[in-house]
Amino acid sequence: MIVSAHWEDAPLMLSAPAAGTPLYYDFGGFHRRYYQMRYATPDATGLTARIAAMMPDTEPLHQHPTRGLDHGAWIPLMAMYPLADIPVVQMSMPTHDPQRLLALGRRLAPLRDEGILVIGSGFMVHGLPHITRDMMLHGTVPAWSSGFDDWAADALARGDIDELAAYATRTPGMPYAHPTPEHYLPIFITLGTAQNPEQPARTVIDGYMAGLAKRSFQLT
């Protein structure tokens, strides 16, 4: 089950569950080969029904009939599971409210006990409008990127959910690190699914790409 920064929709929506549902190419200006890539996952009807049953009556849920995985989902999954042999459901991100996203993650937590991986797909720093030539060509890391990453790493290591939720006013590098917050917010879905969100998270990927922090973490 994956939530991507590239699908913000309310009411809450689930992707089409049929086997081989076509991908959603939500980007422009690239070579045509990228629009010919395929990631034909198996039928996910059972997983979709399981997720839908976890939602309360007060959370309207829409089953999208045709929407496939967007590139915030299929790009990382293609690297992780290149055979595309695992059923996948994508859920929309219905709000920018960290507390509501945490609550949604708590609803999904039992999936982990069933062996289902829950992924929040975004980017720790996503200041695309502020990328410079030096960042692109030489990997120069600006202070607004390293500052945000250091702050997030510290809060994750301490399990400080309140600090992470106060990113808009407490974080070095804002608003350059996230001119809009959608690439940061999937973090709260995954934190909500943890057995104890206040336990330290384990960083599994760190470093920078074009000067932007790409920290990824895993929760127990």
Side-chain angles (χ1 to χ4, degrees):
M1 204 293 296
I2 187 164
V3 175
S4 158
H6 293 272
W7 192 11
E8 298 177 87
D9 252 326
L12 199 63
M13 297 191 187
L14 299 176
S15 59
T21 296
L23 301 178
Y24 186 56
Y25 302 98
D26 57 329
F27 48 83
F30 293 87
H31 191 281
R32 65 180 181 181
R33 67 176 176 270
Y34 294 108
Y35 306 93
Q36 297 169 349
M37 298 180 84
R38 301 290 182 266
Y39 192 71
T41 52
D43 182 87
T45 301
L47 178 55
T48 300
R50 178 76 181 96
I51 294 170
M54 293 172 141
M55 297 299 106
D57 294 339
T58 54
E59 182 74 64
L61 181 69
H62 176 66
Q63 175 64 66
H64 203 292
T66 60
R67 193 189 195 282
L69 305 177
D70 62 46
H71 82 275
W74 61 266
I75 290 291
L77 290 172
M78 186 177 286
M80 295 168 67
Y81 304 106
L83 298 180
D85 56 352
I86 297 175
V88 179
V89 173
Q90 183 169 356
M91 175 181 284
S92 70
M93 190 162 56
T95 178
H96 285 181
D97 179 358
Q99 296 304 322
R100 187 176 166 200
L101 293 174
L102 283 165
L104 185 57
R106 286 192 288 270
R107 285 269 175 184
L108 297 169
L111 293 176
R112 298 184 55 181
D113 297 332
E114 301 167 19
I116 297 168
L117 178 64
V118 179
I119 300 175
S121 173
F123 222 87
M124 186 56 76
V125 171
H126 199 254
L128 294 185
H130 307 295
I131 288 182
T132 65
R133 179 181 177 85
D134 281 345
M135 292 170 68
M136 289 294 294
L137 296 182
H138 307 298
T140 301
V141 179
W144 51 261
S145 182
S146 59
F148 189 100
D149 185 49
D150 290 344
W151 167 86
D154 177 69
L156 286 166
R158 293 185 290 104
D160 193 338
I161 307 299
D162 290 338
E163 180 74 3
L164 291 166
Y167 68 94
T169 57
R170 300 285 293 276
T171 322
M174 289 296 282
Y176 295 97
H178 287 284
T180 55
E182 73 282 347
H183 278 79
Y184 174 72
L185 292 172
I187 193 173
F188 294 105
I189 295 283
T190 51
L191 286 168
T193 67
Q195 294 177 1
N196 180 2
E198 296 182 352
Q199 285 187 342
R202 182 170 70 91
T203 292
V204 293
I205 297 172
D206 59 8
Y208 299 86
M209 184 185 74
L212 302 179
K214 59 180 183 178
R215 183 177 302 277
S216 299
F217 62 92
Q218 182 176 339
L219 296 162
T220 57

